[in-house]
């Protein structure tokens, strides 16, 4: 099932009817945001939920250990979140095996780079009703501007249109890059009420 990124922010509860999530695309910052929102929402259901992070290479090199981490019980919680990083079509067999058994106490969040339309992993998640497929394309300038304005408003730091344009350009359309630059400015401006454009240029190495 294909789900747009804005639908998650609109109503995260609707997303939690799925147990399998695929976040793919070039926007690393957006993938990180969505992953954290899903984790926070799931933690509200069960604060003691077990959490584990794996990489595709680890799974391929030790498949038995992977299945054990999924199906073994936990002393602290009945539910688990498994994050799989750098996932590709190489892992399609393992994902299909787990999906067929569909353990209700298990949530899997898969993070992938760009997947083309022929990708087996992408096709599985797009067509399967039990799975949520979330493409994470590059942010638009408007998206980035809204993030900038929101962050500076929260810190009560005035920011000019010129500074907004500089930050947007420096981000390369990825909110992860943008938030890193904003964090530099926040740290620098901790005891300052105003920043000039030259200070911002220096901070972001523009």
């Amino acid at each position: 099932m294909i789900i747009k990124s804005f639908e998650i922010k609109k109503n995260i509860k609707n997303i939690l009817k799925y147990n399998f999530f695929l976040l793919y695309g070039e926007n690393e910052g957006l993938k990180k945001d969505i992953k954290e929102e899903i984790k926070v929402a799931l933690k509200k259901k069960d604060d003691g939920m077990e959490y584990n992070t794996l990489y595709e290479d680890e799974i391929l090199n030790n498949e038995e250990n992977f299945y054990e981490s999924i199906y073994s019980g936990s002393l602290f919680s009945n539910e688990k979140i498994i994050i799989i990083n750098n996932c590709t079509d190489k892992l399609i067999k393992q994902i299909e095996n787990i999906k067929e058994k569909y353990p209700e106490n298990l949530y899997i969040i898969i993070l992938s780079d760009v997947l083309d339309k022929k990708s087996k992993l992408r096709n599985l998640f797009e067509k399967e009703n039990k799975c949520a497929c979330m493409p994470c394309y590059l942010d638009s300038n408007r998206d980035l501007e809204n993030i900038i304005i929101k962050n500076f408003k929260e810190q009560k730091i005035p920011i000019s249109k010129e500074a907004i344009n500089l930050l947007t350009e420096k981000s390369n359309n990825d909110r992860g890059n943008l938030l890193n630059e904003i964090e530099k400015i926040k740290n620098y401006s901790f005891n300052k009420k105003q920043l000039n454009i030259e200070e911002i240029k220096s901070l972001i190495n523009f």
Side-chain angles (χ1 to χ4, degrees):
M1 181 68 68
I2 301 174
I3 298 173
K4 304 296 184 183
S5 58
F6 69 85
E7 294 180 59
I8 298 167
K9 294 184 179 293
K10 191 175 180 181
N11 194 343
I12 188 67
K13 289 182 180 179
N14 285 342
I15 306 303
L16 298 184
K17 63 185 178 182
Y18 304 100
N19 283 51
F20 297 84
F21 306 91
L22 171 64
L23 283 53
Y24 76 91
E26 61 268 59
N27 194 330
E28 297 298 327
L30 180 56
K31 285 188 284 188
K32 182 179 178 181
D33 281 355
I34 294 173
K35 178 187 73 174
E36 292 303 317
E37 288 193 40
I38 295 171
K39 281 172 57 182
V40 168
L42 289 173
K43 287 281 187 181
K44 287 181 180 178
K45 292 176 58 182
D46 180 357
D47 190 47
M49 189 176 289
E50 187 178 322
Y51 172 72
N52 194 14
T53 300
L54 299 169
Y55 287 82
E56 180 181 82
D57 288 346
E58 290 180 81
I59 297 170
L60 293 174
N61 291 334
N62 195 335
E63 200 169 321
E64 184 178 339
N65 189 55
F66 171 57
Y67 288 124
E68 185 177 340
S69 69
I70 287 175
Y71 297 118
S72 62
S74 170
L75 296 174
F76 306 103
S77 173
N78 291 323
E79 298 189 300
K80 296 180 183 180
I81 305 172
I82 305 288
I83 310 290
I84 303 177
N85 293 299
N86 302 341
C87 195
T88 68
D89 284 354
K90 292 179 183 178
L91 215 61
I92 187 68
K93 182 187 74 173
Q94 292 83 353
I95 300 301
E96 285 180 329
N97 287 340
I98 299 166
K99 182 188 69 64
E100 286 173 8
K101 294 183 179 179
Y102 199 70
E104 293 184 0
N105 65 334
L106 175 70
Y107 297 90
I108 294 184
I109 304 173
I110 296 172
L111 304 177
S112 297
D113 290 330
V114 177
L115 298 174
D116 62 34
K117 292 182 179 180
K118 294 180 180 179
S119 164
K120 294 177 181 178
L121 192 62
R122 177 176 165 180
N123 284 324
L124 172 67
F125 276 77
E126 285 182 347
K127 295 174 182 177
E128 177 58 63
N129 290 331
K130 296 177 182 178
C131 303
C133 182
M134 306 172 190
C136 297
Y137 302 122
L138 293 177
D139 290 297
S140 68
N141 285 349
R142 184 176 179 181
D143 292 331
L144 297 170
E145 288 173 6
N146 288 337
I147 291 170
I148 296 167
I149 292 167
K150 179 186 175 186
N151 273 272
F152 281 90
K153 188 175 181 180
E154 288 173 351
Q155 296 296 313
K156 297 181 180 179
I157 302 171
I159 185 153
S160 67
K161 180 62 177 174
E162 184 181 3
I164 291 173
N165 291 340
L166 285 176
L167 284 165
T168 301
E169 185 176 345
K170 186 72 191 299
S171 72
N172 291 323
N173 296 98
D174 187 322
R175 67 182 62 197
N177 297 334
L178 175 63
L179 291 171
N180 287 336
E181 301 299 343
I182 290 174
E183 195 60 32
K184 291 180 193 175
I185 297 170
K186 282 183 180 179
N187 292 334
Y188 175 80
S189 62
F190 185 71
N191 290 316
K192 294 172 71 74
K193 293 184 178 180
Q194 195 162 3
L195 291 171
N196 63 51
I197 193 65
E198 294 306 319
E199 287 176 301
I200 291 176
K201 282 182 179 180
S202 177
L203 287 167
I204 66 174
N205 297 319
F206 190 84

